[in-house]
Amino acid sequence: MAGLYLEEFVVGHIFRHTLRKTVTESDNMLFSVMTLNPQPLHIDFDFAAKSEWGKPLVNSLFTLGLMIGISVNDITVGTTIANLGMKETVFPHPVFHGDTIRVETTVVSVRDSRSKPDRGIVEFEHRAYNQNDVLVAKCTRQAMMMKKAA
């Protein structure tokens, strides 16, 4: 399924993405190892058991990537030119092994490129929730998107 072109985005539209994922211990360990992140809160069960959480936390950058990744199939697959950046990224509640993540995306703004007529910039707000509908991550992201061919 193709992503949306610049002209198809409507400010204020909310996408409730159907893809969901239950985060596993393997997801967390693999991501932490692949990114050379030795934080014991993520990979050391004994250390994490003695923390205020009592168990390992899922790496927040994995959560960020998962949140944005879940949105791709519905809105940007094949029509993104570039990811321009993220701001206002927050993790108000931890993710733990076994949590199931769902995502919503709101279109915040849409504008034509000032320098290239075949594209424009869309600003998204992505929000991730666990199985109890607790907000676990949120970020605002700008993406350069293709326009429909003339």
Side-chain angles (χ1 to χ4, degrees):
M1 179 175 178
L4 301 175
Y5 292 93
L6 183 74
E7 300 88 344
E8 297 175 296
F9 289 103
V10 176
V11 173
H13 182 79
I14 300 172
F15 294 89
R16 289 177 176 84
H17 306 290
T18 56
L19 288 177
R20 298 162 40 112
K21 176 161 178 39
T22 300
V23 180
T24 68
E25 176 186 338
S26 294
D27 295 329
N28 191 36
M29 292 297 260
L30 181 61
F31 185 86
S32 294
V33 169
M34 287 177 58
T35 58
L36 302 178
N37 185 336
Q39 175 53 253
L41 277 172
H42 303 313
I43 63 173
D44 183 330
F45 277 71
D46 181 58
F47 180 92
K50 296 170 186 167
S51 74
E52 70 177 273
W53 309 106
K55 56 187 172 182
L57 301 177
V58 170
N59 188 310
S60 60
L61 293 180
F62 173 84
T63 302
L64 177 65
L66 177 61
M67 175 174 64
I68 292 171
I70 285 174
S71 77
V72 168
N73 192 55
D74 293 330
I75 60 177
T76 63
V77 68
T79 55
T80 300
I81 296 168
N83 192 24
L84 299 177
M86 292 163 235
K87 61 182 182 180
E88 301 170 22
T89 302
V90 296
F91 304 99
H93 188 274
V95 174
F96 300 105
H97 304 156
D99 282 351
T100 299
I101 304 302
R102 69 174 181 83
V103 176
E104 295 178 353
T105 299
T106 300
V107 178
V108 176
S109 66
V110 180
R111 72 169 178 84
D112 289 332
S113 169
R114 293 185 184 109
S115 60
K116 298 190 178 189
D118 65 337
R119 61 193 69 184
I121 298 170
V122 179
E123 186 171 55
F124 301 104
E125 180 186 84
H126 301 289
R127 295 173 304 282
Y129 300 88
N130 68 14
Q131 67 280 357
N132 299 315
D133 291 325
V134 174
L135 182 69
V136 296
K138 180 173 78 168
C139 85
T140 303
R141 177 175 73 101
Q142 300 80 34
M144 186 173 293
M145 302 299 299
M146 296 176 182
K147 284 186 173 180
K148 290 181 181 178

